[in-house]
Amino acid sequence: MKELLIIAIGSALVNNVVLSQFLGICPFLGVSKKVETAAGMGGAVVFVITIASFVTGLIYKYLLANPAILGGRLVYLQTIVFILVIACLVQFVEMFLKKSMPSLYKALGVYLPLITTNCAVLGVALTNVQKEYNILTGVINGFGTAVGFLVAIVIMAGIREKIETNTGIPESFKGTPIVLVTAALMSIAFFGFSGLI
């Protein structure tokens, strides 16, 4: 239990997928203009990464790396299979949001289908395989990573909302430059968690 807690905290804070590994930058910068939209995107990513970690773990263990099936020689297909699983899950999330939360669906816009190509989702699935996590550990790692993404994007959205009302920003820093500086400072701040584990 202690090991699972360490993996969850480590993947959420110490090895934050956005601020330490620099994966998932596109939705991090694109959807973080409002806290509500960022929280919705983060929630969708939490669902997709957690379920993708479970499903890809099952497929890898019982199909791709199974010695009974072609001697476990299907491992080279992992990236393609993982992308297909992620695409199916994102389609499910998109249909669910369109039916149950149309305002959030419209607010997320083009960024919702981009979860399919979000390198953070695929990165977690591949990390679980590379670190040889069992299915439970992989799901905990995926959930922790997704929560880390949620925390980072919501913090960034809160800061960006404050920046919009700030009149003291020099003209050359307005817009994208101040957002990138903010992301860099957040990354440095999250580096402080490295002594936690």
Side-chain angles (χ1 to χ4, degrees), residues 15-193:
N15 299 318
N16 187 284
V17 71
V18 177
L19 301 172
S20 296
Q21 299 175 14
F22 305 110
L23 297 174
I25 297 292
C26 175
F28 175 70
L29 295 176
V31 186
S32 61
K33 292 180 182 174
K34 293 184 178 180
V35 173
E36 296 83 22
T37 324
M41 178 63 150
V45 168
V46 167
F47 177 79
V48 170
I49 289 182
T50 304
I51 301 299
S53 297
F54 176 70
V55 174
T56 55
L58 286 175
I59 290 172
Y60 183 80
K61 182 177 181 180
Y62 295 111
L63 185 65
L64 301 177
N66 188 348
I69 300 175
L70 293 174
R73 292 180 293 185
L74 296 176
V75 175
Y76 68 94
L77 293 173
Q78 70 186 9
T79 304
I80 295 169
V81 171
F82 291 175
I83 289 172
L84 290 173
V85 167
I86 292 164
C88 291
L89 289 171
V90 170
Q91 286 299 318
F92 173 73
V93 170
E94 193 171 357
M95 289 186 305
F96 175 77
L97 288 179
K98 192 173 186 178
K99 285 279 188 189
S100 63
M101 299 180 218
S103 59
L104 179 59
Y105 175 77
K106 287 179 184 174
L108 291 174
V110 71
Y111 292 101
L112 186 59
L114 282 179
I115 296 175
T116 304
T117 57
N118 186 346
C119 53
V121 182
L122 180 61
V124 170
L126 293 175
T127 300
N128 290 341
V129 169
Q130 289 170 350
K131 292 190 176 182
E132 299 179 356
Y133 287 154
N134 62 33
I135 295 170
L136 176 63
T137 309
V139 170
I140 296 297
N141 180 51
F143 180 74
T145 301
V147 168
F149 180 86
L150 173 67
V151 167
I153 197 170
V154 168
I155 290 172
M156 176 60 115
I159 293 171
R160 283 181 77 173
E161 284 184 355
K162 294 289 185 186
I163 287 174
E164 290 296 318
T165 59
N166 192 338
T167 57
I169 298 172
E171 192 63 37
S172 59
F173 276 96
K174 287 187 178 174
T176 304
I178 194 68
V179 172
L180 293 175
V181 168
T182 303
L185 292 173
M186 283 178 62
S187 182
I188 292 169
F190 268 70
F191 184 69
F193 289 118

